[in-house]
Every structure is written in C-alpha cells, then in structure tokens.
Amino acid sequence: MTDDPKVRLVHISGKVQGVSFRIWTKTQAQRLGLTGWVRNEDDGSVTALIAGQDAAVSRMLKQFWNGPVGASVSRVVSEQASLDEAPTDFRITR
C-alpha cells in the first residue's frame, strides 16, 4: 500500500557533531511531518531514524547531505527499518 509510512535508519558521517546537527535534523524532520529520533554516536557520526510518507523521507535523505551551517557531510547510508522503532514524535536522544 502506497500510504504506508516509509522508515529508514540513517548513518551520517563527516563533521556532524558540534555543529547542531541533531537540532537541525529535528527541525527539518518536524517541518516535513516525520517522526523518529536522532543521536550522536561515539565515533563522531550521527544516527537518525526517520519515518513518514515516502516523499518526505526521500527529501530528508537528500537534506542530510547538506546539514546545518558548519557541517561537512562525507557519507549518508540508509537502510530499511521497522515502524515499531519509531516514536510518535521526533526526538533528540542520548
């Protein structure tokens, strides 16, 4: 069914910590009507779970390549995830 939410687990690498990447992600996700979460990882990367309509998820995946001012994204890798993992809002975790 085309109305089913699309859910992606996304790993973003590069200069993505210390540049408000998580706050930027939450703002962009909320503007697109997405739910999920974003967190910093110990290796300096950022991981996000995004869930929503296909077009909004696709747009967010493209926006990850730009990030906020000061970010320098070198890699964005996404994989399918389960809707069971997504909260009903968008959160910054850890």
Side-chain angles (χ1 to χ4, degrees):
M1 187 185 289
T2 59
D3 289 341
D4 288 344
K6 183 175 184 179
V7 185
R8 303 297 289 181
L9 183 64
V10 188
H11 303 279
I12 306 107
S13 302
K15 183 181 176 189
V16 294
Q17 289 190 18
V19 294
S20 299
F21 204 96
R22 291 177 301 157
I23 294 168
W24 174 86
T25 298
K26 181 179 179 181
T27 300
Q28 297 304 311
Q30 288 174 328
R31 285 184 184 156
L32 292 170
L34 299 172
T35 62
W37 50 260
V38 61
R39 69 178 180 224
N40 283 341
E41 299 295 348
D42 293 338
D43 66 359
S45 67
V46 169
T47 300
L49 181 85
I50 56 173
Q53 295 305 309
D54 188 35
V57 170
S58 294
R59 185 167 177 193
M60 188 72 206
L61 289 172
K62 290 177 186 173
Q63 288 180 349
F64 278 133
W65 280 101
N66 296 321
V69 173
S72 178
V73 176
S74 60
R75 189 170 181 198
V76 176
V77 177
S78 73
E79 59 190 65
Q80 188 171 339
S82 170
L83 187 59
D84 296 339
E85 300 173 44
T88 57
D89 58 359
F90 201 92
R91 304 173 184 168
I92 296 174
T93 63
R94 202 166 109 188

